[in-house]
Amino acid sequence: MKIVSIDNSTKDYWEKTYIEAFPPEERLPFEQLVKMTNDNDHIHLSIIKKDEENVGILFHGELSDTEAYVFFFAIDNKFRNGGYGTKILSMLKERFPDGIILESEELGLPDSDNEEQRLRRYNFYLRNGFKDSKHLMKIYDLSFHILTTGSEDTFKKYQKFLNDIQPEAWFTEENN
């Protein structure tokens, strides 16, 4: 398995997988993601490949040489439950040994229509070595658990990174 930058031949696949994996309210316009990548050497739009076949997508930012923030990560529908997600997270943990940070939708919201899916995703990350930082990130009408393999220092770098590119996001500590 390998992670490679998107190019003209994989752009449509990335966008299609992105639209299938994330609800509209969680997605940024694809053109905005491309612009972020073009404007910042530390932000990457990538395809996940097994042999020469596309199996997923990744959009991440480097917080440092050894820490990363995963904006979006998804395995193609036809490859889910095949261990690819776990393999990619293992690769990322090797590449960024001081910490990876990502967001998982907040659990237990009364108006959530996909609570089971949210719980599955959250538990998937916990099984793969992430821990809940006990911080929530809120942007627009959405809120996310901040999960990490790093330290509080990784969280602070993530906060600064996100505030630099998306100043409308804000953070709270969970009450549980």
Side-chain angles (χ1 to χ4, degrees):
M1 300 241 325
K2 61 185 175 181
I3 299 169
V4 297
S5 295
I6 68 163
D7 58 26
N8 285 334
S9 70
T10 56
K11 182 181 146 230
D12 290 343
Y13 172 81
W14 201 102
E15 191 170 11
K16 176 184 169 289
T17 304
Y18 178 57
I19 289 167
E20 289 173 354
F22 296 95
E25 65 273 11
E26 290 182 21
R27 292 192 309 255
L28 295 171
F30 182 69
E31 297 74 27
Q32 183 178 347
L33 302 180
V34 171
K35 181 176 179 356
M36 289 169 68
T37 301
N38 291 338
D39 291 350
N40 189 320
D41 291 339
H42 299 289
I43 298 177
H44 309 280
L45 265 172
S46 305
I47 296 288
I48 301 164
K49 290 185 168 276
K50 180 178 187 299
D51 302 320
E52 292 307 309
E53 190 166 21
N54 300 331
V55 297
I57 62 170
L58 176 66
F59 183 58
H60 77 282
E62 296 171 358
L63 304 176
S64 72
D65 288 341
T66 59
E67 296 166 299
Y69 162 47
V70 174
F71 291 86
F72 297 106
F73 166 58
I75 300 301
D76 190 309
N77 283 334
K78 62 185 174 185
F79 295 104
R80 290 208 181 127
N81 299 314
Y84 295 107
T86 295
K87 289 175 187 164
I88 290 299
L89 289 178
S90 291
M91 288 173 60
L92 289 172
K93 287 189 288 187
E94 262 184 55
R95 166 66 184 91
F96 300 105
D98 290 333
I100 300 167
I101 202 158
L102 53 77
E103 300 148 358
S104 184
E105 303 100 331
E106 185 174 12
L107 301 173
L109 299 177
D111 59 346
S112 170
D113 60 354
N114 67 338
E115 183 69 15
E116 184 179 319
Q117 181 184 47
R118 290 171 180 233
L119 187 57
R120 274 196 324 267
R121 286 181 183 157
Y122 180 84
N123 286 329
F124 167 77
Y125 291 120
L126 294 182
R127 282 192 313 275
N128 281 281
F130 285 79
K131 59 186 181 275
D132 194 323
S133 71
K134 301 300 180 194
H135 292 280
L136 289 175
M137 190 273 283
K138 296 183 183 229
I139 186 162
Y140 311 118
D141 291 332
L142 306 171
S143 55
F144 300 89
H145 296 278
I146 307 304
L147 305 178
T148 185
T149 62
S151 66
E152 185 66 21
D153 187 51
T154 303
F155 174 76
K156 289 176 183 166
K157 288 177 187 173
Y158 153 78
Q159 231 177 347
K160 181 185 178 331
F161 182 84
L162 200 58
N163 283 333
D164 288 347
I165 61 169
Q166 225 167 1
E168 63 274 17
W170 56 282
F171 302 89
T172 62
E173 285 195 42
E174 294 180 55
N175 293 327
N176 47 353

